[in-house]
Amino acid sequence: MTPPAPAQTQFLRILSRDEAEAAFHAALRPRPLRHDDVALDALSGRVLARDVAAPVDAPPFDRSMVDGFAIRAADLAEASGAEPRYLTLNAEIIACGTPPALTVLPGTATAIATGGPMPRGADAVVMIEQTDPEGAGIAVSRAVAPGAHVGFAGSDIARGQILLRRGTVIGAREVAMLAAVGLDRAPVWARPSVAVLSTGDELVAPGQPLRPAAIYDSNGPVVVAALRENGCDAVHLGMIPDDADALQAALAAAHAAHDAVILSGGTSKGAGDLTTEAIAGLGAPGIVAHGVALKPGKPLCLAVCDGKPVVVLPGFPTSAMFTFHELVAPALRLMAGLPPRTEARVTAHLPLRLPSDLGRTEFAMVALTQGPDGLVAHAVAKGSGAVSSFAQADGFVTVPALADSLAPDTQVQVTLFGPTITAPPLAVIGSHCIGLDTVLGRMADRGLVPRVLATGSQGGLAALQRRECDIAPIHLLDPDSGTYNTPFLAPGMRLIPGWRRMQGIVFRKGDARVAGRDPTEALAALLADTDALMVGRNAGSGTRVLLDRLLGGARPQGYWNQPASHNAVAAAVAQGRADWGMAIRPVAEAMDLGFLPVADEHYDFAVWQDPRDPQAMTAFQDALAASTEALTAMGFAPASGDRP
Ligand code: AMP
Ligand code: MG
C-alpha cells in the first residue's frame, strides 16, 4: 500500500507583493467598521468618525482680555497727556464668572478682571497700567479705540462652525477644542478588535522556564504591540500546539469573537500545513494569497473569511514583522480609520555589496552611522530567524525583485523604523566581547549611547579604514610575529589597550580525556578518541587562528561545525552536541564548563589618531579606565602596558 500523499497545497502560486496586496484588498475592501462615542479623557489617538460642529460660541460672551476698566471709547476720544479725561468709577468690580449688574454710563468706568464679561454700555477696556487713580475715579491720558482689549463672543470659535473634520487623529490640541465648546464626548471609529494566536509545539510564554528544545514566543507580544501602534485593540489568546483540532477550535472561536485574527507560525513547508487547513473551513472567500515573493516573509498567508481578515504570519520573527508592516498593517489602518503611515526616509552610503535573491522584493535591515560624507548604511544580516537584527537596525533598504544585489559605493534610500534618527556619538564596529558591554554601559550611564555592530575584527578594521566607525575592537593574531593587533593597524591609526582574555579548551566537567591534564595531553587524548566530537569556529575569528595553531593541521570530527561566537561554542558543549571546543574563560565559567587555559588573547581598540569626536573618544577612554575592577571580576586581565 502506498502512504497517503502529504498535503502540498502551500506555495502553489507565489504572488508578487503587489498582486498579494491587490487580492487581499479586493476580498476585504478594508474600511472603518463602526463608530463609538468616546469620552474626552479616552480620546487621545482615536480617529474622528464624523465632523464635529461647535454647539456654542467660544468665548460665549464678550469679555475683557486684560485687567483694567470697562469704558465707552467715545468718552476718551479726546484724552491726551496734556488733557487727561476723568471717569467716575461704578460701584462694582467685575471678576471672572460673575455677570455684571451695572451699566457703564457716559463718563463712568467699571473695574474689570481678565476674562470678566463686558458690562452693558461699555465698548472697550483700558488697561490698568494706562490709568491713574484720582479721587473716586480714574484719569486716563490716552484715547482708546472701540473694541480695544475685548474678546468678542464667537471670535475664537463660532457656533455652528466645523471644529474638527472627520479623519482627524485626536491629540491634546483637539481635546482642548472639544472641551472649549463643552463637548465631553466625540464620535470616533471603533478600534478593530484583533485576536493574536501563536502556533507551535515549541513555544513557551516569556516569563516561564524554557523546556529543552523550546523557544520563547516572541511573535505574539510583538504583533500585539504592533497592532496597538496601528490603531487596533489586540488580544493575545496565547499559544496553540501544532494540533489540527486544537487549532481549528481556537481559530473558530477567535474568528467569531473578533474583527480580525492574526496567527503566526505553521505556514512553512514541513510539518503539515495546519494553520492554512484550519482557515479553509472559516468562511468565504478564504485564502487569497499563500506565498508572496518577499524576503523575508515568503510563507505569508492572507485570507478573508466572512468579511474578516485572517492572516498567518511566517513563524520567523523578522519575517513576521516585515510582512505585518508591509501587507497587514495598511489594511488594518484602513479598518481603524487611520491615515496611511508616513514613512521617514533618508539617503545613506552603502559601503559593501548587498546581495539579494532575484525574483523577490527583499528588505535588508541596516544600521546607520555617520561617515565622512553623511550617513552610512551597514547591513545587519542575521537571517530571518533573528530577533535582534530588528533592535540593532535603524531601518531597511528595499532591493527590487529584479535586482540580484545593490552595488557597493552607491547611495541608497533607507526607510526608517522610527520618525527620526540621531547619529550616535560613537560607532563601535568589530569584534564583540561581553567585557565591552561593561565599558559601554558606563558611557550609557552618562547619556552617551554608542552604536555597536558585531562584525568581527576584520570587518571592524575595514569600517574604521573607511572612517565609518570610530572604534574597532579587534583581537587579531599575526601568526608570523606572534603578536596581537598592532601589526594590523594602518598608518594614522593607534591602539587603545583593552584587556586580555584567556582562551582555552572548554569541556564538560569530569571528562576524563581532558580534566586535570595539560592542553597538549588533553588534545592528544581527544584526537586519539574517534568518539570525541569538537565544535570549530568561523574563519576570520581570532579564536579560529588559535585553534588551527593548536590543531597543527588535524581536522577532527566536528571541525566544520563553525559557529561565530564563544557563547555558541560553549552552548554546543554544555548541551552535549559537541565534547570540546575553544572559547574564553568567562563564557566557560558562566555555563559551568571545565576550562583548560591555552593562550592569552589581546582584545584592544583600534582608533584613528585624529578622532571624529575627540570628546566622545575621551569619554570612552574614561569609561574603559573606570571599568578595570569590573573587568577583572569578570575574568579579564588588564592589558599589559601600552602598545604603540
Ligand atoms: P513555522 O512557520 O511554524 O514552521 O515556524 C518557522 C520558525 O519560526 C520556527 O523556527 C519556529 O520555531 C519559529 N517560530 C514560530 N512561531 C514563533 C513565535 N511565536 N515566536 C518565535 N519564533 C517562532
Ligand atoms: Mg510552527
Side-chain angles (χ1 to χ4, degrees), residues 197-204 213-223 236 238-239 242 263-272 275 299 312-320 384-385 387:
L197 285 166
S198 303
T199 74
D201 289 335
E202 74 279 29
L203 300 182
V204 170
I215 61 163
Y216 285 119
D217 169 26
S218 63
N219 289 346
V222 73
V223 170
H236 189 198
M239 291 145 297
D242 290 318
L263 301 107
S264 68
T267 68
S268 42
K269 241 179 158 124
T275 41
V312 190
L313 300 174
F316 275 146
T318 298
S319 311
S384 53
V387 191

Short mmCIF file of all heavy atoms in Angstrom, two decimals, residues 197-204 213-223 236 238-239 242 263-272 275 299 312-320 384-385 387, ligand 1:
data_model
loop_
_atom_site.label_atom_id
_atom_site.label_comp_id
_atom_site.label_asym_id
_atom_site.label_seq_id
_atom_site.Cartn_x
_atom_site.Cartn_y
_atom_site.Cartn_z
N LEU A 197 -2.83 34.79 17.81
CA LEU A 197 -2.56 33.41 18.22
C LEU A 197 -1.17 33.01 17.73
O LEU A 197 -0.84 33.25 16.58
CB LEU A 197 -3.57 32.47 17.55
CG LEU A 197 -5.01 32.44 18.09
CD1 LEU A 197 -5.92 31.74 17.09
CD2 LEU A 197 -5.04 31.72 19.42
N SER A 198 -0.39 32.43 18.61
CA SER A 198 0.91 31.91 18.18
C SER A 198 0.78 30.39 18.10
O SER A 198 0.21 29.78 19.01
CB SER A 198 2.00 32.26 19.19
OG SER A 198 2.04 33.65 19.37
N THR A 199 1.30 29.81 17.03
CA THR A 199 1.19 28.35 16.93
C THR A 199 2.56 27.71 16.98
O THR A 199 3.54 28.27 16.49
CB THR A 199 0.52 27.92 15.61
OG1 THR A 199 1.46 28.10 14.54
CG2 THR A 199 -0.73 28.73 15.33
N GLY A 200 2.62 26.56 17.58
CA GLY A 200 3.87 25.80 17.60
C GLY A 200 4.03 25.05 18.91
O GLY A 200 3.85 25.61 19.98
N ASP A 201 4.36 23.76 18.80
CA ASP A 201 4.61 22.94 19.99
C ASP A 201 5.79 23.44 20.81
O ASP A 201 5.90 23.16 21.99
CB ASP A 201 4.92 21.49 19.56
CG ASP A 201 3.70 20.78 19.00
OD1 ASP A 201 2.57 21.18 19.38
OD2 ASP A 201 3.87 19.84 18.20
N GLU A 202 6.69 24.20 20.11
CA GLU A 202 7.95 24.57 20.75
C GLU A 202 7.84 25.86 21.57
O GLU A 202 8.80 26.27 22.21
CB GLU A 202 9.05 24.73 19.69
CG GLU A 202 8.97 25.99 18.82
CD GLU A 202 7.97 25.91 17.66
OE1 GLU A 202 6.96 25.18 17.79
OE2 GLU A 202 8.18 26.60 16.65
N LEU A 203 6.68 26.49 21.57
CA LEU A 203 6.60 27.83 22.16
C LEU A 203 6.34 27.82 23.66
O LEU A 203 5.57 27.02 24.18
CB LEU A 203 5.50 28.64 21.47
CG LEU A 203 5.70 28.85 19.97
CD1 LEU A 203 4.56 29.70 19.41
CD2 LEU A 203 7.04 29.49 19.68
N VAL A 204 7.02 28.74 24.34
CA VAL A 204 6.85 28.94 25.78
C VAL A 204 6.62 30.43 25.99
O VAL A 204 7.26 31.26 25.33
CB VAL A 204 8.13 28.48 26.53
CG1 VAL A 204 8.08 28.91 27.99
CG2 VAL A 204 8.30 26.97 26.42
N ALA A 213 14.73 22.30 23.94
CA ALA A 213 14.27 22.39 22.56
C ALA A 213 13.11 23.35 22.37
O ALA A 213 12.49 23.39 21.32
CB ALA A 213 13.91 21.02 21.98
N ALA A 214 12.79 24.13 23.41
CA ALA A 214 11.69 25.10 23.27
C ALA A 214 12.28 26.49 23.04
O ALA A 214 13.46 26.73 23.27
CB ALA A 214 10.85 25.10 24.53
N ILE A 215 11.44 27.39 22.52
CA ILE A 215 11.85 28.79 22.38
C ILE A 215 10.73 29.67 22.91
O ILE A 215 9.58 29.23 23.01
CB ILE A 215 12.17 29.18 20.92
CG1 ILE A 215 10.92 29.00 20.03
CG2 ILE A 215 13.32 28.39 20.36
CD1 ILE A 215 11.04 29.72 18.72
N TYR A 216 11.09 30.90 23.24
CA TYR A 216 10.06 31.83 23.72
C TYR A 216 9.22 32.34 22.56
O TYR A 216 9.72 32.56 21.46
CB TYR A 216 10.72 33.00 24.45
CG TYR A 216 11.21 32.61 25.83
CD1 TYR A 216 12.56 32.69 26.15
CD2 TYR A 216 10.31 32.17 26.79
CE1 TYR A 216 13.00 32.34 27.42
CE2 TYR A 216 10.76 31.80 28.05
CZ TYR A 216 12.10 31.89 28.36
OH TYR A 216 12.52 31.53 29.60
N ASP A 217 7.96 32.54 22.84
CA ASP A 217 7.04 33.13 21.86
C ASP A 217 7.34 34.62 21.77
O ASP A 217 6.95 35.38 22.65
CB ASP A 217 5.60 32.91 22.34
CG ASP A 217 4.60 33.73 21.53
OD1 ASP A 217 4.90 34.04 20.36
OD2 ASP A 217 3.51 34.02 22.06
N SER A 218 8.05 35.01 20.73
CA SER A 218 8.30 36.46 20.59
C SER A 218 7.30 37.08 19.63
O SER A 218 6.99 38.26 19.73
CB SER A 218 9.73 36.73 20.15
OG SER A 218 9.98 36.18 18.89
N ASN A 219 6.76 36.30 18.70
CA ASN A 219 5.82 36.88 17.74
C ASN A 219 4.56 37.40 18.39
O ASN A 219 4.07 38.47 18.04
CB ASN A 219 5.40 35.84 16.69
CG ASN A 219 6.54 35.52 15.74
OD1 ASN A 219 7.53 36.23 15.69
ND2 ASN A 219 6.38 34.45 14.99
N GLY A 220 4.00 36.63 19.33
CA GLY A 220 2.75 37.05 19.96
C GLY A 220 2.86 38.46 20.53
O GLY A 220 2.14 39.37 20.10
N PRO A 221 3.80 38.68 21.47
CA PRO A 221 3.92 40.02 22.05
C PRO A 221 4.26 41.11 21.04
O PRO A 221 3.74 42.21 21.13
CB PRO A 221 5.05 39.85 23.07
CG PRO A 221 5.03 38.40 23.42
CD PRO A 221 4.61 37.68 22.18
N VAL A 222 5.10 40.81 20.05
CA VAL A 222 5.49 41.88 19.13
C VAL A 222 4.31 42.22 18.21
O VAL A 222 4.08 43.38 17.89
CB VAL A 222 6.77 41.54 18.34
CG1 VAL A 222 6.55 40.51 17.28
CG2 VAL A 222 7.33 42.79 17.70
N VAL A 223 3.52 41.23 17.82
CA VAL A 223 2.36 41.52 16.98
C VAL A 223 1.32 42.33 17.77
O VAL A 223 0.74 43.28 17.25
CB VAL A 223 1.74 40.21 16.41
CG1 VAL A 223 0.40 40.48 15.73
CG2 VAL A 223 2.70 39.58 15.42
N HIS A 236 -3.99 38.92 22.99
CA HIS A 236 -3.16 37.75 22.73
C HIS A 236 -3.84 36.54 23.34
O HIS A 236 -3.95 36.44 24.57
CB HIS A 236 -1.75 37.96 23.32
CG HIS A 236 -0.79 36.89 22.90
ND1 HIS A 236 0.39 36.65 23.55
CD2 HIS A 236 -0.84 36.01 21.89
CE1 HIS A 236 1.02 35.65 22.95
NE2 HIS A 236 0.30 35.25 21.94
N GLY A 238 -2.82 33.54 23.25
CA GLY A 238 -1.88 32.54 23.73
C GLY A 238 -1.32 31.65 22.65
O GLY A 238 -1.39 31.96 21.46
N MET A 239 -0.75 30.55 23.09
CA MET A 239 -0.04 29.65 22.18
C MET A 239 -0.83 28.37 21.96
O MET A 239 -1.34 27.78 22.90
CB MET A 239 1.33 29.32 22.77
CG MET A 239 2.23 30.51 22.77
SD MET A 239 3.29 30.52 24.20
CE MET A 239 2.12 30.67 25.48
N ASP A 242 0.74 22.46 17.80
CA ASP A 242 0.55 22.03 16.41
C ASP A 242 -0.37 20.83 16.38
O ASP A 242 0.05 19.69 16.16
CB ASP A 242 1.91 21.69 15.78
CG ASP A 242 2.75 22.93 15.56
OD1 ASP A 242 2.20 23.96 15.12
OD2 ASP A 242 3.96 22.88 15.85
N LEU A 263 -2.45 35.00 13.10
CA LEU A 263 -1.71 33.86 13.64
C LEU A 263 -0.27 34.00 13.22
O LEU A 263 0.05 34.73 12.29
CB LEU A 263 -2.25 32.56 13.06
CG LEU A 263 -3.71 32.23 13.29
CD1 LEU A 263 -4.49 32.42 12.01
CD2 LEU A 263 -3.85 30.82 13.78
N SER A 264 0.61 33.26 13.90
CA SER A 264 1.96 33.17 13.36
C SER A 264 2.44 31.74 13.48
O SER A 264 2.05 31.03 14.39
CB SER A 264 2.92 34.12 14.07
OG SER A 264 3.12 33.71 15.39
N GLY A 265 3.28 31.36 12.53
CA GLY A 265 3.85 30.02 12.51
C GLY A 265 2.97 29.04 11.76
O GLY A 265 1.82 29.31 11.43
N GLY A 266 3.58 27.89 11.46
CA GLY A 266 2.83 26.82 10.82
C GLY A 266 2.49 27.03 9.36
O GLY A 266 1.62 26.37 8.82
N THR A 267 3.20 27.97 8.69
CA THR A 267 2.88 28.16 7.27
C THR A 267 3.98 27.66 6.36
O THR A 267 3.79 27.58 5.17
CB THR A 267 2.70 29.65 6.91
OG1 THR A 267 3.97 30.28 7.03
CG2 THR A 267 1.70 30.31 7.81
N SER A 268 5.15 27.36 6.97
CA SER A 268 6.23 26.97 6.07
C SER A 268 6.07 25.51 5.69
O SER A 268 5.42 24.74 6.39
CB SER A 268 7.58 27.24 6.72
OG SER A 268 7.54 26.86 8.06
N LYS A 269 6.65 25.18 4.59
CA LYS A 269 6.62 23.80 4.12
C LYS A 269 7.22 22.93 5.21
O LYS A 269 8.18 23.30 5.84
CB LYS A 269 7.50 23.69 2.87
CG LYS A 269 6.75 23.26 1.65
CD LYS A 269 7.69 23.21 0.48
CE LYS A 269 7.11 22.31 -0.58
NZ LYS A 269 6.98 22.96 -1.85
N GLY A 270 6.65 21.82 5.48
CA GLY A 270 7.23 20.97 6.50
C GLY A 270 6.13 20.28 7.26
O GLY A 270 5.18 19.78 6.68
N ALA A 271 6.25 20.29 8.58
CA ALA A 271 5.37 19.51 9.46
C ALA A 271 3.89 19.85 9.25
O ALA A 271 3.23 20.40 10.11
CB ALA A 271 5.76 19.75 10.90
N GLY A 272 3.39 19.53 8.09
CA GLY A 272 1.97 19.77 7.83
C GLY A 272 1.70 21.23 7.65
O GLY A 272 2.52 22.07 7.95
N THR A 275 -2.21 25.49 9.90
CA THR A 275 -2.96 26.74 10.00
C THR A 275 -3.79 27.01 8.76
O THR A 275 -4.95 27.39 8.86
CB THR A 275 -2.02 27.93 10.27
OG1 THR A 275 -0.88 27.78 9.46
CG2 THR A 275 -1.62 27.99 11.71
N PRO A 299 6.52 32.76 3.30
CA PRO A 299 5.36 31.91 3.63
C PRO A 299 4.13 32.65 4.17
O PRO A 299 3.28 32.05 4.80
CB PRO A 299 5.92 30.94 4.69
CG PRO A 299 7.12 31.57 5.23
CD PRO A 299 7.62 32.56 4.25
N VAL A 312 -1.95 34.60 8.41
CA VAL A 312 -0.95 33.78 9.06
C VAL A 312 0.42 34.35 8.72
O VAL A 312 0.85 34.33 7.57
CB VAL A 312 -1.02 32.30 8.62
CG1 VAL A 312 -0.11 31.47 9.53
CG2 VAL A 312 -2.43 31.80 8.65
N LEU A 313 1.08 34.90 9.73
CA LEU A 313 2.41 35.45 9.52
C LEU A 313 3.42 34.32 9.57
O LEU A 313 3.21 33.32 10.27
CB LEU A 313 2.74 36.46 10.62
CG LEU A 313 1.81 37.67 10.73
CD1 LEU A 313 2.18 38.50 11.96
CD2 LEU A 313 1.88 38.52 9.48
N PRO A 314 4.54 34.46 8.86
CA PRO A 314 5.59 33.44 8.95
C PRO A 314 6.06 33.31 10.40
O PRO A 314 5.95 34.25 11.18
CB PRO A 314 6.71 34.00 8.09
CG PRO A 314 6.07 35.04 7.23
CD PRO A 314 4.90 35.57 7.99
N GLY A 315 6.57 32.12 10.75
CA GLY A 315 7.00 31.90 12.13
C GLY A 315 8.22 32.70 12.53
O GLY A 315 8.32 33.19 13.65
N PHE A 316 9.18 32.85 11.61
CA PHE A 316 10.40 33.56 11.97
C PHE A 316 10.08 35.02 12.29
O PHE A 316 9.42 35.70 11.51
CB PHE A 316 11.42 33.49 10.83
CG PHE A 316 12.26 32.25 10.86
CD1 PHE A 316 12.68 31.65 9.68
CD2 PHE A 316 12.65 31.69 12.07
CE1 PHE A 316 13.47 30.51 9.70
CE2 PHE A 316 13.45 30.55 12.10
CZ PHE A 316 13.85 29.96 10.92
N PRO A 317 10.54 35.48 13.45
CA PRO A 317 10.14 36.80 13.93
C PRO A 317 10.39 37.95 12.94
O PRO A 317 9.53 38.80 12.77
CB PRO A 317 10.95 36.98 15.21
CG PRO A 317 11.16 35.58 15.71
CD PRO A 317 11.31 34.73 14.47
N THR A 318 11.54 37.97 12.30
CA THR A 318 11.81 39.08 11.39
C THR A 318 10.85 39.05 10.20
O THR A 318 10.32 40.07 9.78
CB THR A 318 13.27 39.03 10.91
OG1 THR A 318 14.10 39.18 12.06
CG2 THR A 318 13.58 40.12 9.93
N SER A 319 10.60 37.84 9.68
CA SER A 319 9.66 37.70 8.56
C SER A 319 8.27 38.14 9.01
O SER A 319 7.54 38.80 8.27
CB SER A 319 9.57 36.25 8.10
OG SER A 319 10.84 35.72 7.90
N ALA A 320 7.91 37.75 10.22
CA ALA A 320 6.58 38.08 10.73
C ALA A 320 6.42 39.60 10.78
O ALA A 320 5.41 40.15 10.34
CB ALA A 320 6.39 37.48 12.12
N SER A 384 16.36 35.62 8.72
CA SER A 384 15.00 35.93 9.14
C SER A 384 14.65 35.29 10.47
O SER A 384 13.65 35.60 11.08
CB SER A 384 14.01 35.50 8.07
OG SER A 384 14.23 34.16 7.73
N GLY A 385 15.50 34.37 10.97
CA GLY A 385 15.22 33.75 12.25
C GLY A 385 15.64 34.62 13.43
O GLY A 385 15.35 34.31 14.57
N VAL A 387 15.89 37.85 15.97
CA VAL A 387 15.05 38.91 16.54
C VAL A 387 15.88 40.17 16.71
O VAL A 387 15.40 41.28 16.56
CB VAL A 387 14.51 38.49 17.93
CG1 VAL A 387 13.45 39.46 18.40
CG2 VAL A 387 13.97 37.09 17.89
P1 AMP B 1 6.80 27.56 11.34
O1 AMP B 1 6.26 28.52 10.33
O2 AMP B 1 5.79 27.22 12.38
O3 AMP B 1 7.40 26.35 10.71
O4 AMP B 1 7.96 28.33 12.11
C1 AMP B 1 9.14 28.73 11.48
C2 AMP B 1 10.17 29.12 12.53
O5 AMP B 1 9.68 30.21 13.31
C3 AMP B 1 10.48 28.02 13.53
O6 AMP B 1 11.86 28.09 13.84
C4 AMP B 1 9.67 28.40 14.74
O7 AMP B 1 10.21 27.88 15.94
C5 AMP B 1 9.72 29.91 14.69
N1 AMP B 1 8.54 30.46 15.35
C6 AMP B 1 7.26 30.11 15.10
N2 AMP B 1 6.43 30.80 15.89
C7 AMP B 1 7.18 31.62 16.66
C8 AMP B 1 6.90 32.58 17.68
N3 AMP B 1 5.64 32.83 18.05
N4 AMP B 1 7.92 33.23 18.25
C9 AMP B 1 9.19 32.99 17.87
N5 AMP B 1 9.53 32.11 16.92
C10 AMP B 1 8.55 31.42 16.31
#
